[in-house]
Amino acid sequence: LKPKWFAPHVAYTIAKFGMSMCVLGMAEEFCGQGIAVNALWPRTPIATAALQVIEGTSTAGARVPEIVADAAHAVLVRDARGFSGNFLIDEDVLRDAGCADFDRYAVEPGQPLLPDLPRSARRSTGPLPARICMLGSSHSSCRSCRAGT
């Protein structure tokens, strides 16, 4: 962990990390009951009232909330017993489900999309893997690491 990546948005990072721990813990806790727990995050800012309170932020490079709703639907219709404990990005979920037209989700089609706010602090802007283990694959605490994925 490098502190420079946390400095500009420590509260947001703490919230995301907390959500990640909840996903991992609850996915393992409820797996025997057929209940899936996954996290779904946007690739870009989403044009909501929350974005409007951030001074100097434009929605021109954002997407509409429907992209997250459509991605959530794609996740919710999957088999809960075989798809749990994942950290997902809305665009990746929809692309995997066959969506190829993302212009319909743009607030202003043709405008360059902005990265989601905390992603702008990452060195890589490439796609995130569909499954990320916070602990690494050298332990046996989560099902994905026990399975070698």
Side-chain angles (χ1 to χ4, degrees), residues 40 70-72 74-75 83 88-98:
L40 178 62
D70 290 351
V75 172
F83 194 74
L88 307 162
I89 302 296
D90 56 3
E91 183 179 311
D92 297 339
V93 169
L94 291 173
R95 186 172 278 112
D96 289 346

Side-chain angles (χ1 to χ4, degrees), residues 72-145:
H73 178 263
V75 172
L76 291 170
V77 298
R78 293 187 70 155
D79 177 27
R81 291 193 185 274
F83 194 74
S84 187
N86 299 288
F87 303 125
L88 307 162
I89 302 296
D90 56 3
E91 183 179 311
D92 297 339
V93 169
L94 291 173
R95 186 172 278 112
D96 289 346
C99 180
D101 176 20
F102 291 95
D103 287 343
R104 64 186 169 146
Y105 295 115
V107 170
E108 293 185 24
Q111 287 290 320
L113 294 172
L114 298 170
D116 188 29
L117 301 174
R119 282 180 54 97
S120 63
R122 290 183 24 192
R123 281 190 255 190
S124 168
T125 57
L128 293 174
R131 181 183 292 270
I132 304 167
C133 177
M134 297 290 192
L135 302 174
S137 60
S138 61
H139 69 94
S140 60
S141 299
C142 67
R143 285 179 294 138
S144 61
C145 290

Side-chain angles (χ1 to χ4, degrees), residues 36-84:
V37 181
N38 295 290
L40 178 62
W41 294 313
R43 178 169 304 284
T44 69
I46 302 299
T48 63
L51 190 61
Q52 295 169 2
V53 299
I54 302 172
E55 189 175 321
T57 302
S58 168
T59 60
R63 286 181 167 154
V64 295
E66 286 79 6
I67 190 169
V68 179
D70 290 351
H73 178 263
V75 172
L76 291 170
V77 298
R78 293 187 70 155
D79 177 27
R81 291 193 185 274
F83 194 74
S84 187

